[in-house]
Amino acid sequence: MAAGVIGSLINRKALADSPKQIFNPFVFLFAAVLSMSGGLHGANTSNISGILAMKNFISTFGLGHLSASEKSNISGWVTSVIVLGGLIGALTSSPFNDRLGRKYTLLLQAVIYSVGTIIQLVASGNINQVIGGRAMQGFASGAGTVTGTLYLAEIAPKAIRGVLGAFFSTNIMLGVSLGYWVNYISILHINPDSYWQWRFPVLFQLYPGIILLCALPFMPESPRWLILRNKEQQALKALCRIRRLPEDHPYLLAEYNDISESVTAELEIAHSTSWAGLVTELRSDRTLLRRFILVMIVQIGFNFSGGNSITYYQTSILSTINVTSKDGAYLFSGVYGLMKVLAVLMYAFFCSERFGRRKMVLIGSAINILCVLWIAVYLGALAGHNTAAGWVAIAAVCLFAIGYGIGWAPVAFGLNGEVFPNRMRAKIMSLNIGMQYLANFCLTRFFPNMVANIGAFGPFTIFTVVSSVIWVYIFFALPETKGVAIEHMGALFGNHWFKNGLVKAPIQTTEIPNAPTPEEHAFDQDYKQDVVEVESKRV
């Protein structure tokens, strides 16, 4: 049994040249701490709808005296401002990641998140204070999504990069699930006239920020960032600490040289570190452009799978089968969130390195398509007069959680962190995560309008169509990335976009210093010629 679990955790091909010391408890602990950046996003998204409905919250902020439209408008902003803040945080995170490093940038984001939570906790009567605090939380969680996945991808051994990357999604889902359960506990055990009924769920949101603030000061910086900042000796020591290998170990030296040579070559292309240079390079390097478009579409697919909207609308689905009690709705939300957590854990420990990213996202998204299709059919034609179909719809919601947890949830974040070159990873990741937050904001803010204008089934019909189109694109465009070092990702995207998912690209091992794209190879030849000419002049 234990051997089977270990075999699922480790990519066997990448394991062939990997010493057992690199799979040490420290690297798993490090990943667990960094994945709390996912908790920043998960902990504050799931329980706000429940908080808004709590009696003391309504009386404290005077929401009971507002008209239905005014109350709906305020509730909409309280709910969606965190996504808007996340969009801004993701798009502005790159300069901090590049200048401060991954460690201190994430530490700063944890501070901002914690301050935003405390601002809400002490609010009394001013709803704008709650909105402002949630905007701060959103900014920090959006930026933390970029920094956390970037940091994780850069420290993970390639043989277990999939499972460590899944830690991030696990913490998002764990935060969501715990948020539901905290609401449920508050409803059951705290007096509805007590301000602690809504303050306790807000206080709960502090936990990922506190863990990051306590643990990050003791963590090493990313070796890749240290090399980018010409801190080679510190980078080597950091890599030794993470891998638990001596400085003269062949594997460690090979990995260090691999990173160093890749970063050195990238630094020679100085213009690419600017936003204008990034645009120029996207236009000139087709392999990079294919990666960028692919991951951008993956972020759209992640949101248009319908995950957030199902969470939003599950109470209405429950009401169609006469599950209308507040306790029942909160309990189902908790179970739904728990199923997402278990599904992501199943991906991490049994699927990510055994079956790979490509296969799992295709399977998981196919499950999601079938589920939202049934929900669309049910809400459009069967709701209200077919109880059996209603229970099938509830089963579809639960099955959706499993597909989401093994597909879009871990792959969308993990893929974004592992396929881009060092020199521009922070910038491209911020753009992609920004796209994810933009899509999330639009769906969160305008989902009720879609329901009002085209009916309850309409959004789920849209999700079915969009997800199906993206599934076809992923099938042709996404190659398998498991076991491939970050420095060698360019080799996977050398074919036309509609062939990359179907053709196996040659995989390089750690001992080979680089696997250049045609553009990078041409640059290397020109650079070597320039060096020869300069040296001849010196002589």
Side-chain angles (χ1 to χ4, degrees), residues 92-113:
T92 59
S93 64
S94 177
F96 297 96
N97 284 317
D98 288 340
R99 290 176 174 82
L100 298 181
R102 318 323 187 201
K103 174 179 174 179
Y104 290 105
T105 298
L106 190 55
L107 194 63
L108 176 62
Q109 291 156 0
V111 170
I112 295 172
Y113 177 90

Side-chain angles (χ1 to χ4, degrees), residues 312-327:
Y312 177 88
Y313 208 66
Q314 63 189 15
T315 302
S316 298
I317 298 174
L318 286 168
S319 68
T320 65
I321 55 172
N322 296 320
V323 181
T324 56
S325 71
K326 185 176 289 186
D327 291 355

